[in-house]
C-alpha cells in the first residue's frame, strides 16, 4: 500500500484538499540574481506564469520562468498570502492522507500501518536531508520499507512516495545493485550551486514525460561499483605483476588520486612494452583505458567491451569506483536471458504509458468492473489488464497514436502468451520469432514514449 495510491501529488490535489485556493498568487524569489518570478494557480490546478504559459507541474513552471533546465518548483514557489512553500502544503496533504488511512482501518494491522510507517520514515529522511545529514541505506533496505524484495512491480509507487516527500536517491536506486548504498537527498541537493547561480536540479516532477528508466545499466553489475585495485604512474613492473598474480587480474587501473585515470596496465601491454624495449619502464606499459558512468545503459557499452574487454566505471561523484569486464557481462546475461529482459521492459513501458494517459479509476472500470481484485494502483495491473485497457476504443483514442488498434492488440495478445510461457518456465522452446516480436514491440513503444 502506497501513500495516495502510489501516485505523485499535484497542485490540483492541494486545491481539492482545501490547502490551496484557486487563483492564489505564487512567487519564486532568486535573491542571488535579484529576480522574482510570479504566477497564479488556475482553477484546474495549473501554474500560470506572467506571460500566460500554463503548466501542470510547479517544477516545469519554475524552470521555464527562470530559463533553467530544471528547478524543484515545490520548494521554489511560495504562496504569496501565507509565505508557505508548495512543498509545505504537500507535506500537510500527506499527513492528512496517512491519518485517513489509519482512521479508516478497523484495526491497526500491518496493512493499515504501512502508509504511516512509510510516511514517518520518509519525513525523517527529509529532515535529515534538509540538515545536510542524508540518510545512507542499501537499496535492499530502502525497498524493504514498502515490503518489496526487488525493483519489480512496486517501483513506480515507491518513486511516487519518494517524490511526494521531495526526495531522490544518489546514486539512483534503479541503476545500481540491491546491495549498493544510496543517500536520500532532496532534489535541490542533486546539483550544487556554483558561480553564485541558482542551482539546476533534477526535478522530481515534470509536465514532460519522465525519463523512461528500463533496461540494465552498468551500475547494475556488482563489479561496477565494487572497488578497483590500482597503481600509481610511478609503480614498478614487479608491483603490477605481483598484484595481478595474487588477485588473478588481467588488468589494473593506473590512477593519480581517485578521480584521475591515467590508463591501465595489462598482461598484453606489459609484454608488448618489454618486447619492444627490454629496458622499458613501467610507464611504457600504461595503455589507454575506457571509462563510463555507472548509470549508462549496459547495452551501449557492449561494443566497447567487445573491443577492449574491460571498462572502468565512475560513480555518482565521478570517482573511479569499479571495473566491468566481458566476463562480468557474460555472467549477467547468462543469469537473465534475453526474453526476461525484453518482457520486463515491455511490462514497465506499458504501465508507464497507461499510468500517464489514464486515471486509475478509468482503468479499474475496464479491468476490474466488479472490484473483486481490489485494484488500487497501476502497479497491480497485469499484462492482461494492459490489453483490456488498450483494446477499448475510447481509451485507445486518448493515446492519439497513428496506429491500427486491432493490429496492435493482436500483437499484444501474442506477446502476452509468450510472457506466460517464459514466466511459467514452460519447458518447450519459444518460437523462433518470439524474441523478434518482443524486440519490435519494445522498439515501437520507446518511439512513442519519446
Amino acid at each position: 500500500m502506497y501513500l495516495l495510491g502510489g501516485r505523485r501529488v499535484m497542485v490540483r490535489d492541494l486545491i481539492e484538499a482545501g490547502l490551496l485556493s484557486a487563483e492564489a498568487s505564487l512567487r519564486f524569489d532568486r535573491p542571488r540574481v535579484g529576480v522574482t518570478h510570479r504566477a497564479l494557480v488556475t482553477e484546474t490546478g495549473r501554474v500560470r506564469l506572467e506571460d500566460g504559459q500554463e503548466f501542470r507541474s510547479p517544477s516545469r513552471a519554475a524552470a521555464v520562468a527562470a530559463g533553467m533546465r530544471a528547478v524543484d518548483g515545490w520548494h521554489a514557489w511560495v504562496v504569496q498570502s501565507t509565505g508557505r512553500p508548495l512543498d509545505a502544503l504537500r507535506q500537510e496533504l500527506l499527513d492528512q492522507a496517512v491519518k485517513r488511512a489509519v482512521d479508516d482501518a478497523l484495526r491497526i494491522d500491518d496493512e493499515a500501518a504501512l502508509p504511516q510507517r512509510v510516511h514517518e520514515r520518509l519525513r525523517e529522511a527529509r529532515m535529515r536531508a534538509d540538515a545536510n545529514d542524508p540518510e545512507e541505506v542499501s537499496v535492499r533496505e530502502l525497498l524493504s520499507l514498502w515490503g518489496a524484495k526487488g525493483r519489480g512491480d512496486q517501483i513506480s509507487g515507491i518513486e511516487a512516495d519518494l517524490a511526494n516527500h521531495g526526495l531522490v536517491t544518489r546514486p539512483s536506486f534503479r541503476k545500481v545493485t540491491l546491495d549498493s548504498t544510496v543517500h536520500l537527498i532532496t532534489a535541490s541537493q542533486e546539483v550544487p550551486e556554483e558561480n553564485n547561480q541558482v542551482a539546476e536540479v533534477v526535478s522530481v516532477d515534470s509536465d514532460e514525460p519522465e525519463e523512461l528508466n528500463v533496461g540494465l545499466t552498468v551500475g547494475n553489475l556488482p563489479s561496477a561499483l565494487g572497488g578497483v585495485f590500482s597503481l600509481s604512474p610511478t609503480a614498478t613492473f614487479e608491483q603490477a605483476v605481483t598484484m595481478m598474480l595474487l588477485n588473478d587480474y588481467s588488468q589494473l587501473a593506473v590512477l593519480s588520486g581517485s578521480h584521475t585515470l591515467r590508463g591501465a596496465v595489462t598482461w598484453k601491454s606489459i609484454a608488448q612494452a618489454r618486447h619492444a624495449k627490454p629496458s622499458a619502464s613501467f610507464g611504457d606499459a600504461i595503455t589507454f583505458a575506457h571509462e563510463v558512468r555507472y548509470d549508462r545503459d549496459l547495452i551501449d557499452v557492449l561494443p566497447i567491451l567487445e573491443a577492449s574487454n574491460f571498462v572502468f566505471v565512475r560513480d555518482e561523484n565521478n570517482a573511479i569506483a569499479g571495473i566491468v569486464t566481458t566476463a562480468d557481462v557474460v555472467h549477467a546475461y547468462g543469469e537473465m536471458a534475453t526474453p526476461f529482459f525484453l518482457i520486463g521492459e515491455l511490462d514497465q513501458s506499458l504501465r508507464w504509458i497507461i499510468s500517464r494517459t489514464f486515471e486509475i479509476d478509468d482503468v479499474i472500470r475496464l479491468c476490474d468492473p466488479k472490484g473483486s481484485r481490489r485494484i488500487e494502483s497501476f502497479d497491480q495491473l497485469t499484462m492482461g489488464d494492459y490489453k483490456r485497457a488498450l483494446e477499448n476504443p475510447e481509451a485507445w483514442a486518448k493515446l492519439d497514436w497513428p496506429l491500427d488498434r486491432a493490429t496492435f492488440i493482436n500483437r499484444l495478445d501474442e506477446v502476452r502468451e509468450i510472457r506466460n510461457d517464459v514466466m511459467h518456465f514452460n519447458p518447450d522452446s519459444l518460437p523462433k520469432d518470439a524474441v523478434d516480436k518482443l524486440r519490435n514491440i519494445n522498439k515501437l513503444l520507446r518511439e512513442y514514449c519519446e
Side-chain angles (χ1 to χ4, degrees):
M1 184 183 297
Y2 308 110
L3 304 177
L4 298 180
R7 66 178 181 84
R8 302 189 181 208
V9 175
M10 301 306 296
V11 174
R12 66 172 181 269
D13 296 313
L14 304 181
I15 296 176
E16 292 173 359
L19 298 172
L20 182 68
S21 62
E23 302 302 323
S25 297
L26 305 177
R27 73 170 190 272
F28 167 20
D29 295 324
R30 300 171 63 196
R32 290 184 180 274
V33 293
V35 174
T36 295
H37 304 287
R38 302 185 186 280
L40 288 176
V41 176
T42 70
E43 292 183 356
T44 58
R46 300 174 74 86
V47 178
R48 180 188 298 147
L49 300 180
E50 292 178 293
D51 62 4
Q53 293 187 80
E54 293 185 5
F55 301 93
R56 182 172 62 94
S57 154
S59 292
R60 180 63 176 159
V64 171
M68 296 166 61
R69 180 181 62 83
V71 178
D72 186 349
W74 289 94
H75 288 79
W77 292 114
V78 174
V79 180
Q80 185 78 32
S81 60
T82 64
R84 299 184 70 190
L86 291 181
D87 179 66
L89 302 181
R90 179 172 61 176
Q91 299 310 306
E92 187 173 340
L93 176 66
L94 294 176
D95 289 338
Q96 293 178 1
V98 170
K99 186 177 186 302
R100 283 197 303 271
V102 174
D103 290 345
D104 291 344
L106 295 177
R107 59 189 178 84
I108 308 300
D109 55 16
D110 286 343
E111 183 178 0
L114 178 57
Q116 185 176 24
R117 289 203 304 269
V118 171
H119 181 49
E120 290 176 353
R121 176 72 180 278
L122 294 184
R123 184 165 55 184
E124 180 183 350
R126 170 63 186 276
M127 292 176 61
R128 289 188 56 177
D130 287 339
N132 291 317
D133 179 30
E135 184 175 350
E136 182 178 318
V137 297
S138 71
V139 175
R140 194 183 305 276
E141 181 183 353
L142 178 66
L143 299 178
S144 69
L145 179 59
W146 288 265
K149 295 182 179 179
R151 291 164 290 195
D153 292 344
Q154 299 190 56
I155 194 166
S156 62
I158 292 172
E159 288 180 323
D161 283 351
L162 288 170
N164 288 338
H165 287 79
L167 294 169
V168 295
T169 66
R170 190 169 187 264
S172 167
F173 76 94
R174 277 183 179 263
K175 300 179 183 296
V176 295
T177 68
L178 289 174
D179 293 314
S180 295
T181 297
V182 297
H183 292 84
L184 291 168
I185 64 173
T186 64
S188 58
Q189 294 168 332
E190 182 67 15
V191 180
E193 291 191 20
E194 294 181 356
N195 301 323
N196 294 324
Q197 298 295 317
V198 175
E200 287 195 7
V201 301
V202 177
S203 173
V204 294
D205 70 314
S206 175
D207 269 344
E208 305 301 325
E210 299 165 54
E211 178 185 356
L212 181 57
N213 291 306
V214 293
L216 205 64
T217 64
V218 172
N220 289 142
L221 301 180
S223 63
L225 300 175
V228 61
F229 280 85
S230 66
L231 294 170
S232 73
T234 59
T236 65
F237 280 121
E238 289 75 18
Q239 287 175 312
V241 168
T242 303
M243 187 175 290
M244 288 197 291
L245 286 173
L246 287 175
N247 297 285
D248 194 26
Y249 290 155
S250 298
Q251 62 281 311
L252 291 170
V254 180
L255 300 176
S256 295
S258 61
H259 291 76
T260 305
L261 179 66
R262 298 298 185 184
V265 289
T266 68
W267 289 121
K268 181 179 179 180
S269 71
I270 291 173
Q272 288 178 333
R274 286 185 159 175
H275 177 72
K277 186 171 63 174
S279 61
S281 66
F282 176 76
D284 296 324
I286 299 176
T287 186
F288 172 78
H290 292 277
E291 57 183 74
V292 297
R293 271 185 57 88
Y294 80 99
D295 52 2
R296 186 168 175 182
D297 287 339
L298 181 59
I299 196 169
D300 295 334
V301 179
L302 295 183
I304 301 174
L305 286 168
E306 183 179 9
S308 63
N309 294 319
F310 68 94
V311 294
F312 293 110
V313 183
R314 290 191 181 274
D315 63 14
E316 74 279 8
N317 296 315
N318 210 36
I320 298 295
I323 182 173
V324 168
T325 67
T326 305
D328 295 321
V329 175
V330 170
H331 180 73
Y333 279 95
E335 289 187 336
M336 297 175 285
T338 298
F340 284 91
F341 279 128
L342 296 175
I343 289 170
E345 178 179 344
L346 175 62
D347 179 77
Q348 293 186 59
S349 297
L350 288 170
R351 189 187 313 131
W352 187 87
I353 291 167
I354 289 174
S355 68
R356 283 154 181 77
T357 306
F358 312 115
E359 297 294 332
I360 187 62
D361 290 341
D362 294 333
V363 176
I364 293 173
R365 187 165 53 251
L366 294 172
C367 300
D368 186 28
K370 296 182 179 179
S372 58
R373 292 167 53 198
R374 298 183 180 179
I375 295 176
E376 295 180 349
S377 73
F378 294 104
D379 288 335
Q380 295 172 270
L381 301 181
T382 65
M383 193 71 71
D385 291 328
Y386 304 148
K387 175 177 176 290
R388 282 186 285 272
L390 295 179
E391 69 185 359
N392 179 273
E394 293 182 4
W396 176 265
K398 290 184 179 181
L399 293 173
D400 197 26
W401 287 355
L403 300 173
D404 180 69
R405 177 176 58 87
T407 303
F408 182 89
I409 294 302
N410 285 339
R411 175 53 55 87
L412 191 58
D413 194 51
E414 293 175 353
V415 168
R416 182 183 58 82
E417 294 180 357
I418 294 171
R419 183 262 180 202
N420 289 341
D421 284 341
V422 172
M423 295 305 177
H424 294 163
F425 299 98
N426 189 326
D428 297 331
S429 299
L430 289 174
K432 292 184 179 180
D433 63 348
V435 170
D436 287 338
K437 287 181 178 179
L438 290 169
R439 289 189 189 278
N440 290 337
I441 194 170
N442 279 336
K443 180 181 178 181
L444 182 150
L445 292 177
R446 283 197 296 268
E447 290 176 355
Y448 281 88
C449 284
E450 294 173 356

